[in-house]
Amino acid sequence: MAETDDVTKINTKLNLPDLHESVPESKGNLRDLFSPIYRKAFLLGVLLPLFSQLSGINAIVYYGPTILLDSGISMSNSYHAQLFFGLANVLFTCFAIWKVDSWGRRPLYIFGTLGTTLSLIVTGYLFTQNQEINNTALIISILSFMFFFAFSIGPLKFVVASEIFPNSIRARAMGISILVMWISDAIIGQLTPMILDSWGARYTFWLFAFFCAIAFITVLLFLPETKGRPLEEIEKYWKDKARK
């Protein structure tokens, strides 16, 4: 009896009943991902990493020096600018780490996708100037894009994806989410040179701006705020949505 009482006290202190509530009774399967309850969550889990690649970030990371060189910037300055872009991307990501828990996921995502859209539109416009491209303005517009990307579309896709799925399907959903990101990364990496050759930098950046605009609309309409909300509450949110 004494041992039973001790176990009861420990369970009470650790609040183990609450922990058991978050453990799934049965393991989910792939079919659950497409059920009416989790369909929207799964769609977000796929679209967010897809948009992170379709935003054009890796076009800049992989082909930045070539793009800058074609704009009239010297080879040496192009490589220096690329190094600066990489450093800026790291520093700007720290902003997401700093603000993600105070501002929340949804505001950062909305603000970031809107900012990337506008920055890419401006970047594309600067390439319409042909030989009169303002190199300083071009670098500033690309830096602006990287700033908005680095605190929203870039790192937050993993944060949000880990919070919108219940325990029963999280492992499978996260696996598919990451798979989509790497497949789209490979595709964009291969297609970007062809798009640049066929369309030119102006329309290439406007294409990326188009995808960022779709990301903005998707987040605005469908992404719930997950900051500070337990998994059970998020799951209830999707169930309530499915009933409507």
Side-chain angles (χ1 to χ4, degrees):
M1 288 294 293
E3 288 183 3
T4 303
D5 291 341
D6 290 340
V7 170
T8 302
K9 290 177 181 178
I10 292 172
N11 287 346
T12 302
K13 288 181 180 178
L14 294 178
N15 204 16
L16 291 183
D18 291 342
L19 295 177
H20 289 312
E21 287 178 5
S22 66
V23 178
E25 295 180 1
S26 60
K27 192 175 182 179
N29 53 53
L30 285 174
R31 190 167 27 182
D32 293 335
L33 298 176
F34 301 95
S35 66
I37 295 176
Y38 304 125
R39 193 177 298 150
K40 288 182 180 178
F42 180 59
L43 187 61
L44 279 173
V46 169
L47 288 179
L48 294 183
L50 180 62
F51 287 141
S52 75
Q53 303 307 311
L54 295 178
S55 69
I57 182 63
N58 285 326
I60 296 172
V61 171
Y62 298 156
Y63 306 106
T66 301
I67 294 171
L68 294 175
L69 189 62
D70 290 343
S71 72
I73 298 177
S74 68
M75 177 72 75
S76 175
N77 288 337
S78 295
Y79 282 113
H80 288 155
Q82 188 69 7
L83 291 173
F84 188 56
F85 290 157
L87 177 61
N89 193 26
V90 173
L91 293 176
F92 294 155
T93 302
C94 294
F95 183 83
I97 298 173
W98 177 37
K99 288 297 183 182
V100 66
D101 281 328
S102 58
W103 286 16
R105 288 68 161 143
R106 181 178 161 83
L108 284 175
Y109 239 119
I110 291 174
F111 186 47
T113 50
L114 179 61
T116 54
T117 302
L118 296 176
S119 298
L120 289 171
I121 290 173
V122 172
T123 302
Y125 169 76
L126 290 172
F127 277 103
T128 65
Q129 308 303 303
N130 298 322
Q131 300 302 318
E132 300 178 0
I133 295 177
N134 186 322
N135 292 333
T136 302
L138 179 62
I139 291 175
I140 290 174
S141 67
I142 294 176
L143 279 175
S144 296
F145 161 75
M146 300 195 78
F147 170 69
F148 289 112
F149 175 89
F151 72 75
S152 61
I153 307 176
L156 292 189
K157 58 181 178 288
F158 298 117
V159 176
V160 171
S162 68
E163 294 176 339
I164 59 176
F165 298 116
N167 284 333
S168 59
I169 63 170
R170 181 181 295 108
R172 285 188 171 87
M174 285 292 294
I176 294 174
S177 180
I178 293 171
L179 178 64
V180 167
M181 184 193 72
W182 286 118
I183 290 176
S184 56
D185 175 31
I187 292 173
I188 292 298
Q190 296 301 312
L191 289 182
T192 296
M194 292 182 273
I195 298 174
L196 285 168
D197 266 348
S198 301
W199 293 10
R202 168 179 47 176
Y203 291 109
T204 301
F205 279 100
W206 283 347
L207 176 64
F208 294 142
F210 171 74
F211 287 122
C212 285
I214 296 178
F216 168 73
I217 294 170
T218 301
V219 169
L220 187 66
L221 294 179
F222 301 112
L223 181 65
E225 178 56 72
T226 56
K227 182 191 75 170
R229 300 176 70 180
L231 296 175
E232 293 81 9
E233 186 178 335
I234 298 296
E235 185 171 6
K236 182 178 181 301
Y237 171 85
W238 295 123
K239 289 180 179 179
D240 292 343
K241 280 284 186 181
R243 295 191 190 103
K244 295 180 181 178

